[in-house]
Amino acid sequence: MDRARAEALDRSDPLASLRDEFFIDESGPIYMDGNSLGRLSRRVADALSSGMGEWRSKVVGGWHEWVELPFAVGDQVGQLIGAAPGQVMVGDSTTVNLYKLASATLSLQSGRSVIVCDENEFPTDRYVLAGLRGTELRQIRSDPIEGVDVADLDSAVDDQTALVCLSHVNYRSAARLDIAEVTSLVHSRGAVMLWDLCHSAGAVPVDLDGGEADLAVGCTYKYLNAGPGAPAFLYVRRDLQSRLRSPISGWFAQRDQFEMGQVFEPVEGVGRFAAGSPPVLGLIAVDAAVSVLLEAGLDRLWEKSQALTERLVDLVAERLEPLGVRLGSPADPSRRGAHVSLIHPEAWPICSSLIARDLVVPDFRVPDTIRLGPAAAYTRFVDVFDAVERIEHLLGGDLERSAEGRPRVS
């Protein structure tokens, strides 16, 4: 693909106008970090302004409507992850939600104490799971690029396994698992499956109900574009809701909240996983951000995402591999999420130089990984082409090499 071809693809892109929904400085660097933090949309900015207006005018009276936001917005998010209404709640962080669901599961799984996860799982997930008392954390050895091998998972899950927790899309390599296949395997051993959707929600098709998933968590500030620190979501399959009890007995999950009773009795439904006051402005932002994606259509977003990443992979092979870059994501697009990772021994100097020179905003992961996340909602094909070309020029001339043969930023 040359630049003319990239421009032609942008002209024929049915989602091209979606870019206008977002605040973008066209004179700035090429933003390729949508898998870490999505851009601000005009709709979110307007919604937050309106929300502050409600706060100003209604003050405490606004709570009559605001109190339902975790569930109304949860149903909106549910449309992006294949969840029917009444199974998704938005609030707290991914970390807190993961703890709540994992802990509740252990209480349900009497006589089982093993938790299985990937050794290359996102650190927070591993930290939370390892901190659960009275359990054994069994970490599967996985390929750092191709991810978890289902055969290895098959060997690791046994009749002592209470919970399996895995990311649908690996945060580093973008290796993607089949939700239905993995969940079926876990269920065949009597264990519960908890999915982390942080790097797939809003970008990659997810069908929790169709895949018979039990539980899921995810964030809203990456591909959902709800803003830094925006509240996360949790999913509890409907038939499990009455059997699970959150380890945090919060006032907002109390059946008769304003009776101020002495004994905690959780509400029915997914609301029993609520805790403290809902983050109203954050929920307003999530609602507006998700509406942009729902109008665009996740199928069309995914189709464009695949096209962007496939062309990115081709350009890497053609222009960057001769300069010492290796593909750090699965080459098979059916095994890959919505971002692409590159491996180079001087990944950090490359990333820092690209950012310092206002060329490209990528993402670095120790020790040698550069992540490029072309978000379909606002990334153009020409952005992908130009980003690779700028990296190529940097590697080909702007990085000086010392006598020891290690590149340094000039």
Side-chain angles (χ1 to χ4, degrees):
M1 184 176 72
D2 58 17
R3 199 173 197 282
R5 174 59 178 156
E7 291 172 342
L9 289 170
D10 286 329
R11 286 194 296 271
S12 62
D13 175 16
L15 294 179
S17 62
L18 191 60
R19 181 179 171 88
D20 296 333
E21 286 268 3
F22 296 85
F23 291 97
I24 298 174
D25 179 3
E26 300 293 357
S27 65
I30 299 169
Y31 192 70
M32 298 292 284
D33 206 6
N35 54 310
S36 287
L37 179 63
R39 285 188 178 276
L40 171 64
S41 72
R42 301 179 190 281
R43 200 174 303 187
V44 168
D46 291 343
L48 286 172
S49 178
S50 176
M52 287 188 285
E54 287 188 21
W55 174 17
R56 181 176 61 249
S57 62
K58 296 180 179 180
V59 201
V60 74
W63 276 114
H64 295 295
E65 299 173 13
W66 298 335
V67 73
E68 296 300 326
L69 283 176
F71 314 106
V73 179
D75 287 346
Q76 289 285 89
V77 173
Q79 295 183 59
L80 295 174
I81 58 175
Q87 299 177 103
V88 179
M89 185 190 77
V90 180
D92 295 317
S93 66
T94 304
T95 302
V96 172
N97 286 337
L98 184 75
Y99 168 74
K100 289 191 290 190
L101 296 187
S103 181
T105 299
L106 294 174
S107 299
L108 179 70
Q109 293 283 74
S110 178
R112 293 173 176 243
S113 60
V114 173
I115 300 173
V116 175
C117 77
D118 176 10
E119 66 175 0
N120 290 314
E121 188 56 79
F122 191 77
T124 285
D125 294 31
R126 290 185 281 106
Y127 299 160
V128 169
L129 298 174
L132 294 169
R133 295 182 179 180
T135 64
E136 171 197 341
L137 182 60
R138 185 179 296 164
Q139 298 189 52
I140 309 167
R141 296 188 64 84
S142 62
D143 187 277
I145 295 177
E146 298 297 330
V148 173
D149 188 314
V150 176
D152 292 335
L153 178 64
D154 191 13
S155 300
V157 183
D158 56 26
D159 59 5
Q160 294 302 305
T161 303
L163 175 71
V164 176
C165 180
L166 296 170
S167 285
H168 180 217
V169 173
N170 181 268
Y171 81 100
R172 180 186 297 274
S173 73
R176 179 161 53 100
L177 290 168
D178 185 308
I179 286 179
E181 178 186 16
V182 171
T183 301
S184 177
L185 187 160
V186 170
H187 285 173
S188 71
R189 307 296 163 79
V192 174
M193 186 68 220
L194 170 55
W195 287 102
D196 183 331
L197 305 179
C198 285
H199 284 83
S200 51
V204 179
V206 178
D207 186 3
L208 292 177
D209 287 351
E212 300 185 344
D214 301 311
L215 310 166
V217 296
C219 65
T220 64
Y221 52 79
K222 300 183 192 301
Y223 296 107
L224 270 62
N225 310 305
F233 63 86
L234 61 80
Y235 161 91
V236 182
R237 198 179 68 223
R238 191 179 304 281
D239 64 299
L240 284 176
Q241 292 172 6
S242 61
R243 299 165 57 194
L244 295 176
R245 183 160 178 159
S246 173
I248 304 175
S249 300
W251 184 55
F252 271 78
Q254 170 69 308
R255 186 186 303 271
D256 294 314
Q257 185 179 22
F258 287 95
E259 290 297 318
M260 308 296 183
Q262 295 298 316
V263 179
F264 177 74
E265 297 181 10
V267 297
E268 296 297 325
V270 73
R272 61 179 45 208
F273 283 93
S277 302
V280 173
L281 292 178
L283 288 161
I284 288 172
V286 175
D287 189 42
V290 168
S291 72
V292 176
L293 303 183
L294 289 176
E295 287 181 17
L298 188 57
D299 289 344
R300 293 202 301 172
L301 287 165
W302 175 231
E303 182 179 0
K304 180 179 176 181
S305 178
Q306 287 179 299
L308 287 167
T309 55
E310 285 177 22
R311 281 156 180 80
L312 177 53
V313 168
D314 290 343
L315 285 166
V316 168
E318 177 187 346
R319 307 186 70 159
L320 300 185
E321 286 186 3
L323 298 172
V325 174
R326 291 192 296 119
L327 181 65
S329 296
D332 180 356
S334 71
R335 292 273 296 115
R336 194 171 62 232
H339 70 272
V340 173
S341 291
L342 315 179
I343 296 174
H344 191 280
E346 295 296 333
W348 171 240
I350 294 169
C351 281
S352 60
S353 184
L354 289 168
I355 294 169
R357 301 178 191 197
D358 285 337
L359 298 173
V360 180
V361 179
D363 184 52
F364 170 72
R365 287 291 178 264
V366 293
D368 57 5
T369 299
I370 302 167
R371 298 191 310 174
L372 300 175
Y378 48 77
T379 304
R380 301 169 301 186
F381 289 93
V382 76
D383 293 330
V384 169
F385 179 86
D386 287 348
V388 172
E389 185 172 68
R390 292 179 185 187
I391 296 171
E392 178 188 27
H393 289 168
L394 187 73
L395 287 171
D398 289 344
L399 278 175
E400 297 179 1
R401 295 188 176 274
S402 68
E404 291 78 22
R406 291 177 57 82
R408 62 181 176 85
V409 178
S410 58

